[in-house]
Amino acid sequence: MAQWLEFSTGERIKMLRGKSVTQAQLAERSGLSFSTIQKAEQGGNVSLPTLLRISEALHTEVAVVLGHQAPRRGMSTDERAMLRDLSRSVHDIASGILLDPAEDIAPGPADLAEAASRMWRVYWRGSYADAGVLVGPLLRSAALYSREAPVGQEAAAAALLSDAYRAAGLIANFLGSRDLAYASVGHAIRYADLAGDPVRRAMLGSARARVLLRDGRVKQALAEAEGAAAAAEPSYSEQGSSRLAAYGKNITFAAVAASRLGDTSRATDLLSQAHAVAARLGTDVFINGLQFGPSYAGAQAVGVNVSLGNAGRALDLVHRFHPSGLTQAAHNRMMLDVALAQCDARQWDSSLDTLQEVCEAHPDWARHQAIPSVIIQRAGQASTSRIRKLSAILGMSSATH
């Protein structure tokens, strides 16, 4: 498959535009003439000012259009637009650039809490682009409230702002915007500390570990999750579900990181601890955008065993717990792990059946996952038509498999 740099500038513009945006629409969005867009896509000379306007209309960087930087995998035009708007909100607010307080009235804490709850519901469905659209306004509103919070409410305002930044970081990480993810989680940690909230601070351990893991810094991800778990570990006399959930989430994520390192003993021990915490909770809980409980721990155990090369064990575990407590996104991720385990067990048809079911039901979510392409590359005994269908759903070139 050709590398991004090997395409011409015109070909890159056409691919970034995609089928959802016509040349005429791109011309309208960029303020350029239709003939200029045609000329650009046909390989004609394009000035820098024109490239700047085209890249802005495509919601991407000039470096991507010129081939110096590859586009983020699976990113649609709408997702790129959302991510740029979210980045602007994160960086503007962190640098003190807010909406005009003379025109914008800060919402109350109840309104902010409801907006955050709505955003997390969308996030848990796996609709990350839609959730990202909601995070920008939530961030701005939380920042306004934080600036104008009455005496005695400063900590609560900081906690709300921390949650919004954490959501921005998780969404940016999922969509592959590493720098925005690191920055957002860093701001979230700052406000969690200002709020003096150890539970929120603990929740951010697994969030930062997730970013580190996606960045390939597995040992650091393990250290981050274990450190956050140690800081949040509740005593047996403590009954609060928030602290238990934050502790269990970090322990579970540490097990995931340990499995990626191939440390079977450590991963198994951490998983055992996570299951004990989940049993203590008794049911899956959802707190400020965090989920943890028996279903979540069970689903993660499937993925950990896949990483450790225990395909049979992973497939067996699927039948040992009820996934009804999982969010849609967590369930999707578990089913990808199931498909990968089936692939490892050389159950080619079953693997592709599972993969196709997830990809057809949630194509926008699946395009940002690495596992589907791994399965497609390894399922050498699969029919060509099946590979082509999956490749089309995922926006991949079937000619490379």
Side-chain angles (χ1 to χ4, degrees):
M1 181 179 182
Q3 298 298 309
W4 186 247
L5 182 60
E6 296 174 26
F7 293 106
S8 69
T9 297
E11 288 172 330
R12 286 190 288 269
I13 291 172
K14 185 175 181 179
M15 286 187 284
L16 289 167
R17 173 170 63 81
K19 296 180 180 179
S20 61
V21 179
T22 66
Q23 287 183 330
Q25 289 171 325
L26 180 56
E28 182 179 356
R29 293 180 184 183
S30 61
L32 298 168
S33 68
F34 179 73
S35 61
T36 297
I37 298 299
Q38 280 187 316
K39 178 183 176 182
E41 291 194 3
Q42 289 168 2
N45 292 326
V46 183
S47 67
L48 180 58
T50 296
L51 283 174
L52 287 169
R53 293 173 76 169
I54 289 175
S55 63
E56 178 67 24
L58 291 171
H59 306 291
T60 192
E61 307 297 331
V62 175
V64 173
V65 177
L66 292 175
H68 302 157
Q69 175 184 328
R72 296 185 181 100
R73 182 180 181 274
M75 190 76 69
S76 69
T77 301
D78 288 343
E79 287 168 337
R80 289 198 300 270
M82 177 280 296
L83 205 53
R84 289 196 66 174
D85 288 344
L86 183 58
S87 178
R88 186 173 291 118
S89 294
V90 167
H91 295 311
D92 280 0
I93 292 166
S95 60
I97 303 173
L98 287 173
L99 302 177
D100 186 351
E103 298 180 3
D104 297 279
I105 301 174
D111 291 334
L112 280 173
E114 172 55 32
S117 178
R118 186 184 316 117
M119 181 275 299
W120 285 121
R121 288 196 296 271
V122 175
Y123 175 86
W124 282 328
R125 289 204 308 265
S127 302
Y128 298 119
D130 292 338
V133 170
L134 298 176
V135 173
L138 176 62
L139 263 172
R140 293 190 291 272
S141 296
L144 280 171
Y145 176 68
S146 178
R147 186 172 66 179
E148 301 176 18
V151 175
Q153 295 298 312
E154 297 91 346
L160 287 167
L161 195 49
S162 176
D163 289 347
Y165 272 125
R166 178 160 55 90
L170 292 171
I171 291 167
N173 188 54
F174 178 82
L175 294 176
S177 183
R178 180 184 61 189
D179 292 344
L180 179 58
Y182 276 121
S184 299
V185 172
H187 297 318
I189 289 172
R190 174 193 168 205
Y191 281 99
D193 289 340
L194 287 173
D197 190 332
V199 173
R200 275 185 167 83
R201 182 62 182 83
M203 290 178 178
L204 285 158
S206 59
R208 184 150 65 180
R210 191 179 295 275
V211 180
L212 288 165
L213 193 64
R214 178 147 189 161
D215 197 17
R217 300 161 69 179
V218 186
K219 290 183 179 179
Q220 288 170 278
L222 175 58
E224 177 72 28
E226 286 190 321
E233 185 173 5
S235 67
Y236 279 100
S237 61
E238 290 184 86
Q239 299 298 320
S241 59
S242 297
R243 194 178 185 95
L244 267 176
Y247 173 66
K249 182 88 168 188
N250 279 295
I251 287 292
T252 305
F253 208 84
V256 171
S259 73
R260 301 285 178 87
L261 291 170
D263 192 336
T264 300
S265 177
R266 197 171 189 178
T268 302
D269 180 61
L270 288 164
L271 263 184
S272 178
Q273 294 179 52
H275 283 303
V277 177
R280 192 171 161 191
L281 277 171
T283 187
D284 284 77
V285 297
F286 302 83
I287 303 166
N288 297 325
L290 178 145
Q291 178 196 8
F292 184 74
S295 294
Y296 184 86
Q300 292 301 313
V302 174
V304 165
N305 276 277
V306 171
S307 294
L308 292 174
N310 302 326
R313 172 67 174 162
L315 293 174
D316 179 61
L317 285 172
V318 175
H319 306 291
R320 291 178 175 267
F321 75 98
H322 203 288
S324 59
L326 294 174
T327 65
Q328 184 63 64
H331 188 270
N332 289 349
R333 185 63 176 79
M334 183 191 73
M335 293 311 296
L336 287 188
D337 286 328
V338 170
L340 187 55
Q342 290 169 328
C343 187
D344 288 345
R346 305 182 69 82
Q347 300 173 14
W348 309 117
D349 289 338
S350 295
S351 175
L352 289 169
D353 285 342
T354 303
L355 178 60
Q356 186 170 331
E357 182 178 346
V358 175
C359 292
E360 286 184 336
H362 306 279
D364 292 337
W365 178 89
R367 278 199 298 270
H368 296 285
Q369 300 292 326
I371 290 178
S373 60
V374 172
I375 294 173
I376 288 175
Q377 288 170 358
R378 291 170 58 184
Q381 298 184 25
S383 66
T384 302
S385 61
R386 179 82 70 92
I387 294 297
R388 285 177 176 168
K389 185 171 186 177
L390 281 165
S391 297
I393 294 172
L394 297 167
M396 299 165 56
S397 172
S398 61
T400 63
H401 306 297

